[in-house]
Amino acid sequence: MTGTAAASTAALAGYLELAAGGEADRKLAQSLLDGLGRQTGARAAAAYLKEDGTLVRELSTGAGSFPYRIAEDEASRFERRPMAGGELLLDGGTIQEERDTPVLLALAAAVRALVLEKKLKRQRFEVNYRGVELEALYDVGLAIASTLNLEQLSEEILLRAVSLLDARRGALYAADRDGGYRLSRILGGEARQRLAPDDPQVAALLQGRTPPAPQDLMPGAEHLLAVAIEVDGDPRGLLVVGDKESRRGVGPFGASDRRTLSLFANQAAIALENANLHRQALEKERLLREIELAAEIQRRLLPARLPRVEGVELSGWNRSARHVGGDYYDVLELPGGRLAPLVADVSGKGMPAALMVSTLYSALHLLLDGREPGPDLVERLNGHIFQSSAPNKFITLLVTDVHPVSGEVRYVNAGHNPGIVLRAGGEVEELPPGGMPLGFFRDGRYTGGELALAPGDLLCLFSDGITEAAAADDEEFGAGRLVDLLRRSAELPLPEIIEIVDGEVTRFADGAPQADDQTLVLVRKR
């Protein structure tokens, strides 16, 4: 062994003795680097580790100054020796292989130990950070899940996302009907108002492929991170954050940030879905209350009880296909003891038809004051309905004027089903239309008819919900079946006749849902 090699080996033994004495890996590596610097005569020496494509200084010695971070191509101006996970840089000095190899090997081993220690620290940090991250996400999830107000929830989601990612800016987008996204909330600056569904920049951003960030998406932001908010694969929105803050300033978002934001977006999706379901439930409850109120109002439009008048028996019945309907019946009392039984049917069903019933009720009671229910009244009523209804809405009406003592009946049929008179002897007579339904034409003209009821004769006014009730094979109940029922039950009390008609129509439908409102008014001459 030469003298130089022996001296170097003796020095190495001293360094290893330091390690055996319990000195930390960093102190050992620093001692080896100091000794190597003196041994080679270098002005300065530094051990660098590779990180994100650059060299980051881990240890240094000597009077020279090495930068903290240096690109690999810039390091070529120094003496370089590769080490595990990095490089050794020397400023000046000469490495003699025979003399310096033992120290270089020991230094490489010590640096390798530092690298391993850093990896262990990083892994421990990531494990701890993951635990903290999950705990933070849990706390954030509880916070947003407790908010059912959609506007407050949207604001809370954006604030939490920006805070969770240490971002300077953020934007929350909601999915629109066209497949794109519209800006819902923004924090820290401006953002594009709408993102098109086929925007390649947005698609790339969601896939994490957009360095640099689209400048018009969040003007002024250097780095963007975006994740989709989805419920069962159905897009509900986007979360976008910009410019991550750290001790070194504003920088890009890492892979762990994307994972964190994705996990948070899953929680946000659940919270938004709950808030939407809550809003829909409230809206449904409000609509149900309004429908119930409308149904109550409509029930009040129908007569609670019919007049009791000598000379005739009266009975009426109505059942809507929905909560509210478009059928209306009444028996109005006229001067001189006369009565005006009537049945009307508004086109359509549900709330719009119910509103038309209210219009008809008001107009009829207003116009009937001082007028007989003849063609003149129906023509005036038609003009009012024409002006106050939509073009596709109309009303059929059959109104009668009955004298209880004489049995005289005058009627006007505005496009309604022909009324039926079942004579005591079994003969049938109809009350045919004398004009178009109300609301078809502004200046509609109507003609009336007359007949007389003899004792035992039965007058039946009905809506097409009875005769057009269909069985499973689409066969309709029809006017013929209605007449047969009236013949078979003509001697029974009127409420029982109505029960029979109701039961037979229901049995005929054989479980099929009621498609239209059903109304029946019976008048029998004593």
Side-chain angles (χ1 to χ4, degrees):
M1 180 180 294
T2 65
T4 303
S8 180
T9 303
L12 176 60
Y15 295 135
L16 294 177
E17 184 179 351
L18 283 176
E23 294 292 333
D25 291 336
R26 177 172 290 276
K27 187 174 182 180
L28 172 60
Q30 184 66 54
S31 298
L32 289 168
L33 186 62
D34 292 342
L36 184 64
R38 291 191 299 270
Q39 194 167 279
T40 59
R43 288 187 297 275
Y48 279 84
L49 301 182
K50 290 184 179 180
E51 185 179 301
D52 296 332
T54 62
L55 296 175
V56 179
R57 190 182 69 219
E58 185 69 22
L59 301 168
S60 64
T61 187
S65 176
F66 282 96
Y68 174 76
R69 187 182 293 271
I70 186 171
E72 291 193 45
D73 56 349
E74 295 179 6
S76 58
R77 57 192 176 93
F78 300 104
E79 177 77 17
R80 301 171 65 180
R81 286 297 176 96
M83 293 189 305
E87 291 192 20
L88 170 68
L89 301 185
L90 294 175
D91 183 7
T94 302
I95 293 179
Q96 298 179 16
E97 298 296 335
E98 183 180 6
R99 180 195 67 190
D100 299 329
T101 295
V103 178
L104 287 171
L105 292 175
L107 178 60
V111 170
R112 183 180 294 109
L114 285 179
V115 171
L116 291 174
E117 183 180 352
K118 292 191 73 169
K119 286 184 177 179
L120 288 173
K121 285 184 178 179
R122 184 176 294 110
Q123 289 175 355
R124 285 195 296 268
F125 171 79
E126 288 181 355
V127 170
N128 292 334
Y129 176 79
R130 183 68 171 156
V132 172
E133 177 190 59
L134 292 175
E135 185 176 349
L137 283 170
Y138 177 75
D139 292 339
V140 168
L142 288 179
I144 63 175
S146 62
T147 305
L148 291 175
N149 181 285
L150 198 56
E151 285 70 26
Q152 293 179 3
L153 177 61
S154 299
E155 185 174 350
E156 186 73 14
I157 286 174
L158 184 56
L159 287 171
R160 297 280 182 170
V162 169
S163 175
L164 200 61
L165 273 295
D166 294 323
R168 283 188 174 181
R169 305 173 60 176
L172 177 63
Y173 287 85
D176 60 23
R177 295 180 178 178
D178 300 327
Y181 300 92
R182 293 196 177 277
L183 185 64
S184 174
R185 289 286 188 281
I186 189 168
L187 184 65
E190 297 180 355
R192 196 191 303 176
Q193 290 295 316
R194 186 178 185 275
L195 307 180
D198 55 353
D199 190 330
Q201 288 186 321
V202 175
L205 183 63
L206 288 172
Q207 296 171 11
R209 298 188 289 105
T210 54
Q215 290 301 306
D216 64 332
L217 197 156
M218 198 174 279
E222 298 180 20
H223 309 281
L224 294 182
L225 175 63
V227 297
I229 299 175
E230 297 179 335
V231 176
D232 295 331
D234 184 22
R236 299 300 174 86
L238 287 181
L239 257 178
V240 185
V241 292
D243 292 343
K244 183 178 181 66
E245 292 184 321
S246 67
R247 287 177 294 182
R248 295 194 295 268
V250 173
F253 297 92
S256 62
D257 294 319
R258 175 171 291 277
R259 183 186 66 240
T260 300
L261 192 59
S262 296
L263 291 173
F264 176 69
N266 292 338
Q267 292 182 319
I270 295 172
L272 286 170
E273 184 71 1
N274 288 339
N276 273 317
L277 291 175
H278 179 68
R279 170 177 282 189
Q280 291 173 17
L282 292 178
E283 181 67 14
K284 184 178 180 180
E285 184 179 348
R286 182 186 67 81
L287 289 175
L288 286 175
R289 286 199 302 267
E290 291 183 358
I291 290 174
E292 289 173 359
L293 178 61
E296 177 61 26
I297 292 173
Q298 189 173 40
R299 282 192 292 270
R300 293 182 181 182
L301 297 182
L302 299 176
R305 52 184 172 273
L306 299 182
R308 299 177 64 86
V309 180
E310 289 293 331
V312 294
E313 300 174 54
L314 300 168
S315 188
W317 169 79
N318 165 267
R319 180 171 60 213
S320 299
R322 300 180 182 175
H323 283 82
V324 292
D327 276 10
Y328 167 65
Y329 80 91
D330 208 341
V331 178
L332 305 176
E333 297 185 74
L334 303 176
R338 301 185 341 269
L339 301 172
L342 62 95
V343 171
D345 185 359
V346 178
S347 60
K349 295 179 286 295
M351 192 69 72
L355 293 174
M356 286 288 291
V357 168
S358 299
T359 301
L360 173 65
Y361 176 90
S362 301
L364 184 61
H365 282 74
L366 178 65
L367 294 174
L368 194 59
D369 185 22
R371 292 188 180 89
E372 295 182 353
D376 178 65
L377 178 137
V378 175
E379 288 173 4
R380 289 175 176 269
L381 193 59
N382 171 73
H384 182 82
I385 297 300
F386 182 87
Q387 291 179 347
S388 59
S389 64
N392 62 339
K393 288 294 181 183
F394 58 89
I395 304 174
T396 66
L397 171 69
L398 174 53
V399 56
T400 63
D401 181 352
V402 178
H403 196 292
V405 178
S406 67
E408 178 187 8
V409 177
R410 290 179 291 181
Y411 64 89
V412 179
N413 187 337
H416 196 76
N417 304 87
I420 297 172
V421 175
L422 179 64
R423 300 296 184 182
E427 301 86 357
V428 174
E429 188 174 342
E430 291 187 341
L431 283 63
M436 298 295 291
L438 306 179
F440 257 29
F441 303 106
R442 180 188 300 274
D443 298 321
R445 292 292 179 263
Y446 297 89
T447 58
E450 295 184 7
L451 56 86
L453 294 179
D457 290 348
L458 180 66
L459 171 62
C460 175
L461 311 180
F462 61 94
S463 67
D464 58 8
I466 292 177
T467 54
E468 294 180 5
D473 59 358
D474 291 333
E475 181 185 1
E476 294 185 349
F477 187 77
R481 286 188 175 89
L482 177 60
V483 170
D484 289 342
L485 282 179
L486 296 178
R487 281 197 178 106
R488 295 201 301 267
S489 57
E491 302 298 326
L492 298 175
L494 298 188
E496 292 186 22
I497 297 176
I498 289 178
E499 286 185 11
I500 291 173
V501 173
D502 177 24
E504 288 299 319
V505 170
T506 301
R507 277 189 289 275
F508 180 82
D510 192 23
Q514 183 180 338
D516 201 359
D517 307 321
Q518 298 174 349
T519 302
L520 190 65
V521 175
L522 299 179
V523 181
R524 183 161 57 194
K525 182 76 172 71
R526 293 183 187 275

